[in-house]
Amino acid sequence: MKILAILYNGFKAAEEEPRLLGTVENKLGLEDWLKSQGHELIVSSDKEGPDSVFQKNIVDAEVLITTPFHPGYLTRELFDKAKNLKICITAGVGSDHIDLNAAVDHKIQVLEVSGSNVVSVAEHVVMSILLLVRNFIPAHEMIERGDWQVSDIARNAFDLENKVIGTIGAGRIGYRVLQRLVPFDPKELIYYDYAPLPAAAAEAVKARRVEDLKEFVSQCDVVTVNCPLHEGTRGLVNDELLSHFKKGAWLVNTARGAICDKDAVARALASGQLAGYSGDVWDVQPAPKDHVWRKAKNPLGGGNGMVPHYSGTTLDAQARYANGVRSILENYLSGKPQEPQNIIIGLGKYETKAYGQR
Ligand code: NAI
């Protein structure tokens, strides 16, 4: 059996740190096991264009392993060419880099390691909210420059206490963000999701559901995006929606870059409609050098907390999603049923309600 894995390069770091399992070098820890079973494992980061390792090997691979951190974009056109493909496994959470509707049509299963990095991301979200609200990055940059002017930082630094914080998407990550924010004594926690939280869960964090998105954002001092990318969320945060935000709100997006219109966000930052934008996800990954989010700033020259896509690939998370990929593969090879929570696309149908209302 041919297994193709598209992962990110680890280079020197991966040689020095074997726990960087999600890299080309360390191959999710699968190499010895799969080879001992007589399977062929091809691992590469080369994913763009018809001559890439990805596109050349997808034509006869039976299993495709991809990672959201360095997404191999499996388009409908590539599905048409992938004659042997039976199962796509996402090493992590978030399978929007795969054309899921095409997977349904081609009866190819798509599985994720659900839950594997949700705490990792929730912690990053809370950190990102704090670094924006407290104006941390310009303060640190000032220190490195050798300067010291407290008023230049303090003029745009606030407390999180007594703010209204809202999450778009209150699933595994969104809910964990709400849980972690409770001790900061926010004025209110609110959420926008077509699936209401179970009453006990909502009560535990005292979260109120707002059913209209414009009304929801207009009440928030901080908005955090925690829903999957699908037809219903692509470009959801655009000029129109941003005009309904409170002036000077902070926006954190660790879900997927394409949920926010990149130019609209940059414009909102430049005008001060947003005081800050932070996240680790980009509409194309790796992000081009001239991506507008790399240097977008608010009128005071701060408000940018962007980093490369790593919130869900801490070493703790890598151990969990590498184990998860192995157990999905073991189930596949032995014909055992898969864990239901990991199945995004079953044979010819969506098995999750999280990728849009159908
Ligand atoms: P989940 O499936 O537990 O929760 C997703 C929630 O979003 C569900 O409650 C669903 O009803 C809701 N939702 C879907 N469409 C919506 C819409 N149009 N409006 C409002 N809510 C909507 O997923 P989980 O584990 O919380 O992950 C969410 C997303 O976070 C993933 O799909 C992925 O894109 C992203 N992620 C990012 C990572 C990173 O490293 N930055 C790592 C892991 C996940």
Side-chain angles (χ1 to χ4, degrees), residues 13-32:
E15 281 160 29
E16 290 174 2
E17 179 47 85
R19 290 173 298 174
L20 275 169
L21 285 166
T23 55
V24 168
E25 291 79 359
N26 295 329
K27 302 178 176 55
L28 291 161
L30 295 172
E31 188 173 36
D32 292 346

Side-chain angles (χ1 to χ4, degrees), residues 100-220:
L100 296 176
N101 293 328
V104 170
D105 296 343
H106 284 79
K107 296 201 166 40
I108 293 168
Q109 301 178 70
V110 180
L111 285 95
E112 301 181 350
V113 190
S114 292
S116 56
N117 52 16
V118 294
V119 167
S120 321
V121 180
E123 289 185 3
H124 193 98
V125 172
V126 174
M127 174 188 76
S128 298
I129 293 173
L130 282 168
L131 66 84
L132 289 183
V133 171
R134 305 197 59 87
N135 208 19
F136 177 84
I137 290 177
H140 179 71
E141 287 169 347
M142 173 183 281
I143 288 303
E144 288 205 17
R145 277 198 311 274
D147 294 341
W148 183 286
Q149 190 53 51
V150 173
S151 56
D152 282 353
I153 301 302
R155 67 181 293 184
N156 204 23
F158 298 83
D159 296 338
L160 191 52
E161 182 180 66
N162 215 23
K163 301 294 184 290
V164 177
I165 310 162
T167 174
I168 300 179
R172 294 178 185 88
I173 296 173
Y175 188 69
R176 280 165 181 76
V177 170
L178 296 175
Q179 285 178 313
R180 281 157 181 74
L181 289 171
V182 171
F184 288 93
D185 292 328
K187 186 172 188 181
E188 199 178 17
L189 294 175
I190 61 180
Y191 74 99
Y192 171 82
D193 195 315
Y194 53 70
L197 283 168
E203 175 54 28
V205 294
K206 306 235 172 322
R208 175 170 62 90
R209 183 177 178 211
V210 180
E211 290 189 47
D212 180 86
L213 184 57
K214 287 176 190 159
E215 262 177 46
F216 166 83
V217 296
S218 71
Q219 296 172 36
C220 292

Side-chain angles (χ1 to χ4, degrees), residues 230-305:
H230 53 76
E231 313 85 287
T233 58
R234 186 175 292 276
L236 186 70
V237 183
N238 53 21
D239 284 312
E240 218 303 276
L241 189 68
L242 284 161
S243 73
H244 293 273
F245 276 53
K246 272 191 190 174
K247 183 154 177 72
W250 297 275
L251 175 59
V252 172
N253 174 18
T254 53
R256 284 296 176 259
I259 296 173
C260 297
D261 175 327
K262 66 180 189 323
D263 297 312
V265 165
R267 278 191 290 273
L269 252 187
S271 73
Q273 175 62 8
L274 284 180
Y277 182 78
S278 181
D280 66 331
V281 285
W282 305 72
D283 54 343
V284 178
Q285 293 186 180
K289 281 205 163 38
D290 61 352
H291 196 290
V292 65
W293 284 354
R294 287 185 186 260
K295 291 187 177 164
K297 294 278 175 4
N298 66 24
L300 294 173
N304 185 328

